[in-house]
């Protein structure tokens, strides 16, 4: 589903990714772990198409298409979803309106009929239950005045409504207390399936207790230095990233 | 410069003498005094603090002649886009500042409410007018108010008696009309609200001129005790217009006054709102939204004068500036020495859509009482690129994402307009004017 080859990325005049190789098959959950500043979030944001990064080398194929040639909105419509590490507050834009328009933009792109208000609400109520969300959040402006945890939950809720083919979760666990983490993980696990790939970007192993990955990668200094099964995360937790940095 | 003033003087004298033989002495005296004041004051220059950022050269360096009575040139289709959605209690139409009875309709008003052209009302022995006209809008210090008063020939007059509630809006439509270049009109409005009365008034200004014209308006609003007054000024002049508007409000005890100012057109625009909280417990809300593009200059000056204790004022002004547009916002709040328990809050925000757009913004708090609550805040910024990326990452096109954010910014003010679909219509009007949209 996703094949990243020798990806080099620069922000400003700093090389952040220095030859990333990564392949994710449909149906799989991969986790990328790494210390602060290793380039994990950059990788997530580059895949979503953030304009502040310059790709200086390499390729990214998504379902056989050149992902890097697509605008961010086209990636979204083609089924790529990134849950933001820092979800943006958008005052004045109603959450329900925003989500309905986003969903219908995707459906329109796929040649499907737009959902009417009734069907949309049925879907939304169902997904809100997954995430234990208060329905009043729908009538507020997107993320405005949300607590850190509410914002993260709202990201996963959006994912659950938009049903992407490739979901990239950028440090969704950061800033969550243990109860919120469980709820978010429940939402993500509900989304696991044979038609979807999920890429978890995280600093801590903690999240992986709840969302068990098929493959774990370790990113340090802009390169993937180790890949393995879920045990790799436990080993990292025990020995720290220094262990790997020394090993390289 | 002197010759320009002379031409206004000559025209004002001619207009006054040709106007009405039956004009009462007080009116002739009012005009004469105003003309004297205008001559003494001259057009303000940027050396004056109140006009520091607003050069009036486009007005002062042209010889604008008094626009002819445009009634005969008025076509019904000129009015169609300006009519309010839903029902109105009354609509008064003015072409170049002169009343057009044929296009007006006052049949929806409750009994007792008086509405008329000022031209007619002033010539009658009517104490209500003499008691109020120019009493809020002094010609002594404000050159444009003096100029308007010197040309005081016509305008809109509304008087709502004590206890009468007019539920549907009343509209005053001021249209600049005709194809003569460099003309000026001096629209005038006088509204007197009795105790416990209620009315909503929409005052709209527009024009289709492609060549420079000048609109110089003065509005006086008197809200009596316990009165509720909602006022909407919609400025949708053409890009060739210099629009100078001054609105003077007197809010009596326990009255509730809300003034919305939506300013979308014009090339040189000055909107002044001066509210005097003249009785205890009065409440005042000022909502403003302005847009500028090209090389437009939009200047909003507001003054809320807390002259009495226990008054509340809320003010939100928002601006959207594209291209090389410039804006000025000056929000003055005065709290007089005995105006204890004043509660005043002012917010002004500007969204700059281009690197070349700029705004000079200044809150001015003059507080002479000690037991008061006054806050102000200003925020000026460009589009939030992270928000645009967020929207794009959810499938919205870039253009759509930008529009959504602009709409959300303006919606904060437009959603406070409770007249049918008027807010939505103004939103569309704003969206149409944005750069990159088909005009």
């Amino acid at each position: 589903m996703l094949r990243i080859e020798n990806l080099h990325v620069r922000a400003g005049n700093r090389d952040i990714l220095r030859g990333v190789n990564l392949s994710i098959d449909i149906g799989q959950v991969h986790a990328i772990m790494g210390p602060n500043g290793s380039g994990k979030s950059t990788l997530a944001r580059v895949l979503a198409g953030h304009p502040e990064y310059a790709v200086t080398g390499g390729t990214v194929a998504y379902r056989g298409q050149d992902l890097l040639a697509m605008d961010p909105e086209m990636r979204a419509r083609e089924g790529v979803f990134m849950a933001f590490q820092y979800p943006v507050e958008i005052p004045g834009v109603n959450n329900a309106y925003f989500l309905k328009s986003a969903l219908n933009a995707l459906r329109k792109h796929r040649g499907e009929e737009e959902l009417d208000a009734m069907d949309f609400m049925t879907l939304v109520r169902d997904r809100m239950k997954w995430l234990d969300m208060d329905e009043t959040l729908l009538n507020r402006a997107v993320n405005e005045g949300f607590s850190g945890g509410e914002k993260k939950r709202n990201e996963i809720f959006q994912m659950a409504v938009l049903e992407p083919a490739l979901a990239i979760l950028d440090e969704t666990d950061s800033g969550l207390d243990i109860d919120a983490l469980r709820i978010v993980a429940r939402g993500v696990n509900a989304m696991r399936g044979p038609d979807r790939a999920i890429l978890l970007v995280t600093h801590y192993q903690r999240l992986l207790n709840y969302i068990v990955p098929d493959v774990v990668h370790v990113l340090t200094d802009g390169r993937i230095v180790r890949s393995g099964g879920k045990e790799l995360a436990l080993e990292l937790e025990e020995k720290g990233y220094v262990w790997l940095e020394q090993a390289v | 410069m002197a010759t320009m003033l002379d031409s206004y003087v000559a025209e004002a004298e001619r207009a006054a003498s040709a106007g009405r033989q039956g004009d009462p002495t007080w009116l002739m005296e009012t005009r004469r005094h105003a003309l004297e004041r205008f001559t003494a004051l001259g057009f303000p220059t940027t050396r004056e603090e109140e006009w520091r950022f607003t050069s009036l050269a486009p007005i002062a360096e042209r010889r604008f002649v008094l626009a002819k009575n445009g009634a005969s040139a008025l076509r019904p289709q000129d009015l169609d886009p300006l009519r309010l959605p839903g029902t109105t209690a009354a609509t008064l139409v003015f072409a170049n500042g002169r009343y057009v009875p044929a296009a007006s309709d006052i049949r929806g008003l409750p009994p007792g409410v008086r509405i008329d052209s000022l031209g007619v009302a002033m010539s009658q022995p009517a104490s209500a007018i003499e008691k109020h006209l120019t009493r809020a809008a002094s010609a002594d210090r404000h050159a444009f108010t003096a100029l308007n008063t010197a040309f005081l020939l016509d305008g809109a007059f509304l008087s709502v008696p004590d206890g009468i509630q007019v539920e549907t809006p009343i509209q005053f439509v001021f249209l600049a009309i005709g194809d003569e270049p460099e003309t000026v009109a001096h629209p005038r409005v006088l509204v007197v609200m009795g105790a416990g009365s209620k009315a909503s008034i929409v005052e709209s200004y527009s024009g289709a001129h492609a060549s420079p014209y000048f609109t110089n308006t003065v509005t006086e609003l008197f809200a009596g005790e316990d009165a509720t007054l909602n006022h909407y000024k919609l400025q949708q002049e053409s890009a060739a217009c210099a629009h100078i508007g001054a609105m003077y409000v007197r809010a009596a005890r326990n009255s509730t006054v809300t003034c919305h100012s939506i300013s979308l057109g014009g090339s040189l625009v000055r909107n002044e709102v001066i509210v005097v909280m003249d009785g205890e417990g009065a409440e005042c809300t000022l909502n403003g939204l302005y847009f500028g593009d090209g090389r437009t200059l939009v200047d909003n000056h507001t003054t809320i004068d807390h002259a009495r204790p226990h008054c509340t004022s809320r003010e939100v002004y928002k601006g959207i500036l594209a291209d090389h547009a410039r804006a000025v916002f000056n929000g003055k709040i005065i709290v007089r020495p005995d105006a204890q328990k004043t509660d005043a809050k002012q917010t002004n925000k500007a969204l700059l859509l281009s690197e070349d757009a700029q705004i000079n913004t200044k809150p001015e708090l003059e507080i002479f009482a000690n037991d008061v609550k006054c806050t102000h805040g200003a925020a000026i910024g460009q589009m939030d690129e992270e928000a645009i990326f967020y929207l794009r990452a959810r499938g919205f096109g870039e253009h759509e994402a930008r529009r959504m954010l602009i709409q959300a910014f303006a919606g904060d003010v437009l959603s406070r307009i409770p007249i049918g679909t008027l807010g939505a219509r103004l939103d569309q009007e704003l969206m149409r004017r944005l750069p990159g949209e088909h005009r």
Side-chain angles (χ1 to χ4, degrees):
Chain A
M1 161 155 280
L2 184 74
R3 177 178 289 272
I4 302 171
E5 287 184 345
N6 196 27
L7 185 64
H8 285 72
V9 170
R10 175 174 283 202
N13 52 11
R14 225 164 63 83
D15 290 316
I16 299 182
L17 298 184
R18 305 189 302 151
V20 171
N21 293 293
L22 176 68
S23 276
I24 305 178
D25 288 338
I26 195 155
Q28 287 188 326
V29 175
H30 286 224
I32 293 191
M33 303 186 66
N36 290 330
S38 60
K40 312 186 290 292
S41 282
T42 298
L43 178 61
R45 287 158 72 81
V46 164
L47 293 177
H50 198 289
E52 77 172 282
Y53 302 102
V55 175
T56 52
T59 59
V60 179
Y62 166 70
R63 289 166 149 176
Q65 290 175 279
D66 179 2
L67 186 73
L68 300 177
M70 295 183 208
D71 284 335
E73 55 269 35
M74 196 51 75
R75 300 180 196 199
R77 292 173 199 163
E78 286 285 326
V80 177
F81 177 95
M82 178 180 73
F84 280 59
Q85 181 180 6
Y86 302 109
V88 183
E89 296 194 11
I90 310 186
V93 176
N94 174 276
N95 214 9
Y97 164 81
F98 161 80
L99 195 52
K100 183 162 178 272
S101 308
L103 178 60
N104 281 332
L106 264 56
R107 293 179 67 91
K108 201 173 147 198
H109 179 73
R110 295 196 294 253
E112 295 168 10
E113 253 181 65
E114 297 191 1
L115 277 193
D116 64 21
M118 287 271 280
D119 291 341
F120 173 72
M121 281 314 293
T122 309
L123 172 70
V124 156
R125 289 213 173 91
D126 179 60
R127 298 301 193 263
M128 288 193 110
K129 265 186 230 143
W130 290 9
L131 289 152
D132 251 357
M133 273 174 75
D134 186 348
E135 219 173 283
T136 57
L137 288 185
L138 278 179
N139 298 320
R140 292 178 37 194
V142 179
N143 293 323
E144 193 187 28
F146 285 26
S147 71
E150 281 173 335
K151 282 181 184 169
K152 295 297 182 79
R153 226 186 279 192
N154 196 34
E155 292 292 289
I156 302 305
F157 165 62
Q158 289 177 18
M159 177 179 85
V161 171
L162 299 176
E163 300 182 316
L166 172 65
I168 303 158
L169 275 51
D170 187 8
E171 306 217 12
T172 296
D173 51 331
S174 68
L176 290 185
D177 63 30
I178 196 71
D179 293 326
L181 184 68
R182 273 203 195 103
I183 290 164
V184 161
R186 190 172 74 204
V188 175
N189 284 326
M191 294 291 292
R192 284 181 93 143
D195 303 326
R196 181 168 295 126
I198 297 174
L199 179 61
L200 306 168
V201 172
T202 180
H203 183 80
Y204 298 106
Q205 186 269 338
R206 189 178 71 150
L207 176 71
L208 308 182
N209 290 336
Y210 299 95
I211 309 170
V212 180
D214 300 302
V215 185
V216 174
H217 309 273
V218 181
L219 187 74
T220 55
D221 208 12
R223 284 195 194 94
I224 289 181
V225 293
R226 178 78 64 100
S227 299
K230 56 176 190 283
E231 333 68 60
L232 180 57
L234 293 168
E235 206 173 343
L236 270 174
E237 181 78 357
E238 195 182 311
K239 300 183 179 167
Y241 289 110
V242 182
W243 157 64
L244 274 176
E245 277 163 13
Q246 284 163 349
V248 172
Chain B
M1 189 73 185
T3 58
M4 299 294 181
L5 293 188
D6 290 346
S7 86
Y8 282 102
V9 171
E11 268 208 303
E13 283 169 349
R14 198 163 51 236
S17 62
R20 291 162 196 286
Q21 299 308 320
D23 282 349
T25 320
W26 68 264
L27 178 57
M28 293 193 286
E29 185 52 32
T30 298
R31 284 192 203 118
R32 195 194 53 75
H33 170 74
L35 190 59
E36 266 177 31
R37 290 307 304 154
F38 172 68
T39 320
L41 292 163
F43 287 118
T45 70
T46 50
R47 285 188 298 274
E48 289 167 48
E49 185 60 30
E50 289 289 291
W51 296 87
R52 214 173 119 202
F53 299 109
T54 303
S55 165
L56 292 165
I59 292 172
E61 288 169 8
R62 282 201 175 87
R63 194 185 302 265
F64 287 100
V65 300
L66 191 62
K68 294 203 178 78
N69 187 330
S72 57
L74 183 70
R75 300 163 306 168
Q77 61 263 39
D78 296 330
L79 292 169
D80 291 342
L82 302 168
R83 292 194 189 282
L84 290 180
T87 52
T88 47
T91 304
L92 296 189
V93 175
F94 298 82
N96 297 337
R98 308 303 295 261
Y99 183 48
V100 188
S104 303
D105 182 357
I106 57 172
R107 287 169 299 181
L109 283 172
V113 175
R114 176 148 187 233
I115 193 163
D116 212 333
S117 90
L118 259 180
V120 171
M122 288 187 305
S123 63
Q124 297 165 348
S127 59
I129 289 197
E130 196 187 342
K131 235 168 69 191
H132 291 99
L133 194 66
T134 74
R135 297 305 158 93
S138 164
D140 286 346
R141 279 184 305 164
H142 195 301
F144 287 102
T145 296
L147 183 62
N148 176 289
T149 308
F151 282 90
L152 185 43
L153 302 164
D154 208 346
F157 172 58
L158 171 71
S159 169
V160 184
D162 293 355
I164 299 284
Q165 319 252 317
V166 188
E167 296 298 339
T168 47
I170 295 163
Q171 189 180 19
F172 301 146
V173 179
F174 291 94
L175 266 170
I177 211 154
D179 46 18
E180 279 177 274
E182 308 207 341
T183 56
V184 56
H186 303 280
R188 183 94 185 192
V189 174
L190 174 64
V191 174
V192 182
M193 306 276 303
S197 67
K198 182 183 173 190
S200 294
I201 296 156
V202 180
E203 201 177 305
S204 57
Y205 295 91
S206 59
H209 285 267
S211 55
Y213 68 104
F214 172 23
T215 306
N216 178 36
T217 80
V218 172
T219 297
E220 291 177 274
L221 307 175
F222 294 86
E225 282 191 21
D226 297 303
T228 302
L229 171 62
N230 297 309
H231 183 272
Y232 306 83
K233 177 182 173 180
L234 313 180
Q235 187 275 102
Q236 295 163 280
E237 305 263 23
S238 91
C241 180
H243 178 101
I244 307 287
M247 188 163 89
Y248 299 86
V249 184
R250 287 284 165 86
R253 213 163 68 90
N254 293 333
S255 62
T256 305
V257 177
T258 305
C259 300
H260 305 254
S261 164
I262 312 296
S263 181
L264 302 178
S267 59
L268 167 60
V269 177
R270 166 94 161 195
N271 300 305
E272 273 181 56
V273 181
I274 296 134
V275 183
V276 180
M277 313 283 276
D278 224 1
E280 286 191 26
E283 280 180 32
C284 156
T285 305
L286 302 185
N287 289 328
L289 176 71
Y290 56 90
F291 171 74
D293 63 352
R295 296 196 171 272
T296 300
L297 169 60
V298 196
D299 177 338
N300 283 286
H301 264 65
T302 66
T303 302
I304 301 176
D305 185 348
H306 283 265
R308 304 276 173 224
H310 294 281
C311 292
T312 304
S313 66
R314 292 288 178 267
E315 178 173 13
V316 176
Y317 262 69
K318 295 185 114 176
I320 299 167
L321 300 172
D323 308 330
H324 287 80
R326 284 205 302 124
V328 179
F329 175 81
N330 190 290
K332 188 186 282 191
I333 295 174
I334 304 167
V335 182
R336 303 279 171 190
D338 56 351
Q340 301 295 4
K341 304 286 181 192
T342 287
D343 180 357
K345 189 174 176 187
Q346 178 193 93
T347 308
N348 91 83
K349 292 184 178 174
L351 179 60
L352 308 182
L353 301 182
S354 119
E355 300 272 334
D356 300 313
Q358 49 167 302
I359 176 163
N360 295 98
T361 180
K362 189 169 132 198
E364 243 185 295
L365 272 52
E366 297 176 6
I367 301 171
F368 302 102
N370 50 26
D371 186 10
V372 301
K373 215 159 73 184
C374 287
T375 62
H376 67 88
I380 295 152
Q382 307 224 330
M383 292 277 260
D384 180 352
E385 293 298 326
E386 197 61 25
I388 289 168
F389 175 63
Y390 188 77
L391 291 168
R392 295 180 76 188
R394 296 294 176 259
F396 296 94
E398 183 177 3
H399 182 71
E400 202 186 348
R402 288 182 188 279
R403 278 180 63 116
M404 272 174 84
L405 294 181
I406 295 169
Q407 223 162 0
F409 181 82
D412 191 18
V413 173
L414 295 180
S415 65
R416 296 173 205 231
I417 298 180
I419 299 181
T421 53
L422 182 60
R425 191 202 281 178
L426 291 167
D427 172 69
Q428 279 172 19
E429 179 65 23
L430 170 66
M431 290 296 123
R432 196 179 59 79
R433 288 171 186 260
L434 290 178
E437 303 298 328
H438 296 291
R439 303 209 173 182

